[in-house]
Amino acid sequence: MHNSVELKKMLADGEFDKRLIEVYLTESEVEFQKQRCSKIIDSFVSIYGDSEDIRLFSAPGRTEVGGNHTDHNHGKVLAASVNLDTVAAASKRDDNIASETTEGYSQLTVDLSDLDVHTEEYGKPSALIRGMCAGFAKRGYNIGGFNAASASRVLAGSGLSSSAAYEVLIGTILNHLYNDGKVSAVEIAKIAQFAENEYFGKPSGLMDQMASSVGSFITIDFKDVNDPVIKKVDFDFASCGYALCIIDTGGSHANLTDDYAAVRGEMESAASVFGKSVLREVDEAEFMSNIPLVREKSGDRAVLRAMHFYNENKRVDAEVEALTKGDFDTFKSLVIESGYSSYMYNQNVYTVKAPAEQGVSVALALCEKLLKGKGAWRVHGGGFAGTVQAFVPQDMLDGFKSEVESVFSEGSCHILSIRPFGGIEL
């Protein structure tokens, strides 16, 4: 048990250095993270006063690596946690109130004696706190009041899922303050999905929460959405000689709801031709034998998106195999294939409502010019606007970043790494 003065002294004296290197991967990050944690402790004290038992927690953002637009039709995905995270200083309180303050935002207070869904809280962070506590209680775990001060480096709107990182952070705090760390990472992710679906009012899948909670590379098979198969992929990204870059093209995700819905809707329309609700239930050979019928009933784009679904599922398996074998060259070629499939078949690189606006297309073309034969690139996340993912050789990184930012803007190319941990106590 440590108060703020003791905890800051431990940071300054290097007692956290080994742990911080494990989590953030490079010694150059350690000093920054020590200062960051010290600042968060100061924020905690300024808001709540000191405590005899302040503890530090972290939950990462995530990146989708394979399985673009497959989860909603019960497909397969490959995802990974990244080194950008949300960190909190937290301690227990004894009045059954959860209070959380994120840097730059107002203080939130949730009375844990009321764990009902509040529809007026839809879309608000307080709903996630209430939902996480409700989910823990529903599964028979302990809950209780806490104070927390947090700060996030997970880029909002970047496809790195800042919301999942926040949910997992709250779950990690509850796990360690009240359950001795016994709640599994998989259970925390499922509780986080429950909180987002039922309390926050957003019908999200499970990929974001699972990647943030479990950490490193993970693959998820959603064939049974009530009991998805989750496996951690054993691959040391830090040793492969590449950096993960996320390029923010500056496009707005506003007014794209119809585009996202159409991807799922057309895949499900193609499945309905065979009397099924999702494509995972339709045998690929049967689909291929009946393309004329699917064209007639659901349209040509539905055919193409279905073909993307089938091939993307197989690519996820191949990517996992390549990483497991340490074959990064094959992995890169599969990432590029995934990107081409998303562009040509799934068609989620730009919206047909605004064909003159193709920032993602420009970023992909630039990546191909700079990285062909050396790296890999693909649309990132939901698509239509937003971000591109690239795996860039470390010796090309400075030049790549400079070229990209000369086309978009300074700070648009974010250099990341795959983090080997999910939600943790530091």
Side-chain angles (χ1 to χ4, degrees):
M1 297 177 67
H2 305 286
N3 62 28
S4 64
V5 175
E6 293 165 341
L7 199 56
K8 288 178 68 176
K9 186 175 188 304
M10 290 170 68
L11 282 164
D13 290 348
E15 293 186 42
F16 280 82
D17 286 11
K18 182 179 178 182
R19 178 65 158 169
L20 293 174
I21 291 172
E22 289 175 343
V23 175
Y24 297 103
L25 303 171
T26 62
E27 292 187 19
S28 60
E29 272 280 289
V30 169
E31 194 57 39
F32 170 79
Q33 295 298 341
K34 287 163 68 171
Q35 292 175 8
R36 182 182 178 217
C37 288
S38 182
K39 182 180 176 183
I40 290 168
I41 294 167
D42 288 340
S43 295
F44 178 96
V45 173
S46 70
I47 298 165
Y48 303 110
D50 209 343
S51 167
E52 287 304 309
D53 187 18
I54 301 176
R55 297 159 76 172
L56 295 170
F57 301 93
S58 164
R62 71 97 185 103
T63 182
E64 174 208 275
V65 179
N68 194 235
H69 276 286
T70 57
D71 58 334
H72 49 60
N73 265 251
H74 299 193
K76 301 176 182 181
V77 298
L78 175 64
S81 55
V82 299
N83 59 317
L84 297 183
D85 64 344
T86 301
V87 170
S91 70
K92 288 183 178 181
R93 53 189 288 170
D94 56 14
D95 58 359
N96 215 30
I97 297 293
S99 181
E100 193 279 330
T101 308
T102 300
E103 185 179 39
Y105 295 89
S106 301
Q107 183 177 342
L108 304 173
T109 303
V110 177
D111 184 350
L112 302 184
S113 65
D114 176 9
L115 295 180
D116 292 335
V117 174
H118 289 232
T119 55
E120 72 275 10
E121 282 187 333
Y122 279 177
K124 298 179 180 178
S126 56
L128 296 176
I129 297 174
R130 196 184 306 275
M132 291 301 298
C133 291
F136 266 69
K138 186 176 181 180
R139 287 173 177 255
Y141 296 117
N142 299 322
I143 62 170
F146 61 86
N147 291 324
S150 70
S152 181
R153 295 181 71 209
V154 185
L155 308 165
S158 64
L160 298 176
S161 198
S162 55
S163 60
Y166 184 80
E167 294 155 13
V168 170
L169 180 74
I170 298 300
T172 303
I173 290 171
L174 291 170
N175 189 21
H176 288 276
L177 291 187
Y178 288 102
N179 295 278
D180 298 321
K182 294 177 182 177
V183 186
S184 73
V186 169
E187 284 186 284
I188 290 174
K190 290 180 177 179
I191 294 169
Q193 183 195 24
F194 163 80
E196 188 159 319
N197 291 176
E198 302 298 325
Y199 284 74
F200 194 72
K202 181 181 177 182
S204 69
L206 187 59
M207 177 183 72
D208 296 352
Q209 293 85 355
M210 199 64 72
S212 177
S213 188
V214 175
S216 192
F217 282 99
I218 62 163
T219 181
I220 311 173
D221 186 340
F222 289 103
K223 185 174 184 178
D224 179 355
V225 291
N226 295 314
D227 189 22
V229 178
I230 302 126
K231 294 180 181 178
K232 197 162 185 174
V233 182
D234 185 19
F235 180 76
D236 180 13
F237 183 77
S239 66
C240 74
Y242 286 78
L244 168 65
C245 293
I246 298 296
I247 302 165
D248 184 355
T249 66
S252 171
H253 285 84
N255 303 317
L256 293 176
T257 301
D258 292 346
D259 293 281
Y260 296 129
V263 176
R264 177 174 185 166
E266 288 175 13
M267 287 184 182
E268 291 175 352
S269 175
S272 71
V273 174
F274 303 90
K276 305 295 184 181
S277 59
V278 292
L279 280 172
R280 187 64 182 274
E281 298 172 347
V282 180
D283 179 73
E284 183 182 3
E286 184 181 5
F287 170 84
M288 295 301 294
S289 298
N290 288 278
I291 285 178
L293 181 61
V294 181
R295 291 184 69 196
E296 177 188 342
K297 299 288 187 180
S298 302
D300 289 343
R301 193 168 64 173
V303 171
L304 294 170
R305 284 175 164 166
M307 292 174 74
H308 166 80
F309 173 86
Y310 289 118
N311 289 325
E312 191 75 346
N313 270 349
K314 288 182 281 190
R315 260 189 298 271
V316 167
D317 288 339
E319 286 173 338
V320 170
E321 182 181 5
L323 289 175
T324 302
K325 291 180 177 178
D327 184 356
F328 202 71
D329 285 339
T330 296
F331 169 77
K332 286 188 300 177
S333 69
L334 291 163
V335 169
I336 295 169
E337 278 184 23
S338 173
Y340 283 145
S341 182
S342 293
Y343 206 150
M344 293 188 292
Y345 302 128
N346 203 43
Q347 298 182 23
N348 64 311
V349 168
Y350 64 91
T351 173
V352 294
K353 292 181 288 190
E357 299 173 17
Q358 295 199 37
V360 173
S361 305
V362 171
L364 290 169
L366 184 60
C367 285
E368 182 171 32
K369 177 178 173 58
L370 297 172
L371 297 176
K372 192 169 185 177
K374 299 169 184 174
W377 58 94
R378 71 193 282 273
V379 64
H380 184 240
F384 297 108
T387 57
V388 165
Q389 176 188 80
F391 291 92
V392 183
Q394 290 283 356
D395 60 4
M396 294 180 62
L397 200 49
D398 290 343
F400 178 82
K401 187 176 191 295
S402 178
E403 289 273 4
V404 166
E405 295 188 348
S406 72
V407 173
F408 293 99
S409 62
E410 185 176 351
S412 60
C413 182
H414 304 283
I415 301 171
L416 312 179
S417 57
I418 305 297
R419 162 171 155 153
F421 295 94
I424 55 169
E425 180 173 7
L426 289 173

